Amino acid sequence: HSRNTAKSRLLYSKKYYHVLTESNAQELLILSNDKRIHAMKALAALSKYLGCYDIWKSIIQRHQLKWSNEDAVQVFQNITNADRGFSSMVKWLKDALTKLPQSYGNILLFNALTGLRPEEAIQSIKILHNNKEYDDYLKENSILEHYKYPSIFIRRTKKAYISIVNGTILGLAREAADHSYNALRLLIKRKGLHMNMAFCRKVFATHLRNNGIEQEIIDLLQGRSAKSVFARHYFRPDFNHRNITECLMSLHKSLIAS
């Protein structure tokens, strides 16, 4: 695991180890989906380390704990939540761009135009600032090849393979200062805004889909492996960079418009 994941596993193990010693998981049932999954992963790792994984499996079965965090009602609410709609997310992003110094705002723009996860976008900018790695990372001035840095972008459950870019997007990265996620978060907070950098990835995906880019291509650009039989065995599109780039430039124009 990455250092952050290992730290999370350890913290959740310390907090919920009594679930194993008491064989009682009722406390986990009232947690949010995300917290419950984190706690379950930590307890699974701890039980294997202690040699009592069979006890953990019996606890899961007895309390009917679910590994999946997909709740149909919650998914529906997320889609229809006006506070998390496309217009609301774009508004937050534009507000942040007007209040932040350009070197910070460019991180958000780069993130929205690549569809990466926040930390991936920051790491990508860091690589682009390194002149020694720049040429190896960038293919034909149009594709960032994240997969060449597996320790950063190819993680066990979260991956990033490639991003489509052009001179404008690369310019945003080069003009963005090498700030950490925490530095950006603290500045956004000081400006009176909530830290919603994850909106950038959602804005990217929604804008591309609304403009006719196939879902399978969006999944690829966001590091999601194809699951359907069609996508895995039959979908072989002509990867038209121009269509995607034009779509990204229309997004960029809308974000910087006053």
Side-chain angles (χ1 to χ4, degrees):
H1 296 304
S2 69
R3 180 181 296 272
N4 287 337
T5 300
K7 183 178 179 180
S8 173
R9 295 286 191 274
L10 182 58
L11 289 175
Y12 274 93
S13 294
K14 288 181 177 180
K15 187 172 183 178
Y16 295 106
Y17 73 90
H18 57 271
V19 170
L20 292 176
T21 59
E22 299 171 4
S23 293
N24 187 345
Q26 289 183 343
E27 184 178 355
L28 301 184
L29 296 175
I30 62 174
L31 297 177
S32 67
N33 285 328
D34 289 338
K35 285 188 177 180
R36 188 187 73 254
I37 295 300
H38 282 302
M40 290 177 65
K41 288 180 178 179
L43 290 172
L46 178 62
S47 65
K48 290 177 181 178
Y49 177 73
L50 296 176
C52 60
Y53 186 62
D54 56 332
I55 296 176
W56 169 239
K57 288 195 295 185
S58 69
I59 293 173
I60 292 177
Q61 184 176 9
R62 187 165 64 252
H63 290 84
Q64 297 184 352
L65 292 170
K66 304 295 184 182
W67 283 102
S68 174
N69 60 0
E70 293 183 357
D71 184 305
V73 175
Q74 186 62 52
V75 171
F76 170 77
Q77 291 175 341
N78 289 340
I79 293 174
T80 59
N81 186 348
D83 293 333
R84 293 294 185 270
F86 182 73
S87 297
S88 297
M89 293 189 293
V90 169
K91 182 180 182 303
W92 175 86
L93 186 49
K94 295 178 74 169
D95 287 345
L97 293 175
T98 60
K99 294 180 179 180
L100 295 175
Q102 184 178 358
S103 62
Y104 284 89
N106 281 352
I107 299 175
L108 298 180
L109 280 174
F110 179 80
N111 195 179
L113 296 174
T114 56
L116 296 167
R117 299 171 184 85
E119 186 59 34
E120 292 169 350
I122 288 172
Q123 291 298 325
S124 180
I125 290 172
K126 188 186 295 289
I127 295 173
L128 289 171
H129 280 203
N130 188 329
N131 291 327
K132 293 182 179 179
E133 297 180 310
Y134 188 92
D135 291 335
D136 185 57
Y137 185 40
L138 177 63
K139 179 181 179 182
E140 298 177 355
N141 290 320
S142 62
I143 298 179
L144 294 179
E145 298 180 316
H146 308 304
Y147 66 88
K148 290 184 175 180
Y149 298 82
S151 62
I152 299 174
F153 297 107
I154 308 298
R155 293 166 289 174
R156 193 169 64 89
T157 58
K158 296 179 180 179
K159 299 174 176 61
Y161 303 116
I162 61 171
S163 291
I164 304 299
V165 295
N166 63 2
T168 299
I169 299 174
L170 293 173
L172 291 171
R174 298 291 282 184
E175 293 171 9
D178 187 8
H179 300 301
S180 67
Y181 175 84
N182 194 50
L184 178 59
R185 179 184 64 83
L186 292 174
L187 180 59
I188 288 176
K189 184 177 180 180
R190 289 198 296 271
K191 296 297 182 179
L193 297 170
H194 294 291
M195 178 47 155
N196 290 325
M197 189 173 175
F199 283 178
C200 297
R201 181 171 168 86
K202 301 177 191 295
V203 166
F204 170 91
T206 304
H207 180 80
L208 263 61
R209 191 67 191 92
N210 287 345
N211 284 271
I213 304 300
E214 293 91 340
Q215 179 182 326
E216 290 82 1
I217 291 179
I218 298 173
D219 284 342
L220 175 62
L221 293 175
Q222 293 200 306
R224 290 185 291 273
S225 299
K227 295 182 179 180
S228 69
V229 172
F230 169 71
R232 294 173 64 184
H233 298 288
Y234 303 106
F235 185 62
R236 298 296 183 269
D238 291 326
F239 213 73
N240 193 325
H241 296 182
R242 182 176 179 181
N243 285 350
I244 297 173
T245 302
E246 288 177 353
C247 186
L248 293 175
M249 288 302 94
S250 69
L251 174 59
H252 178 249
K253 184 178 179 179
S254 68
L255 291 176
I256 63 175
S258 57

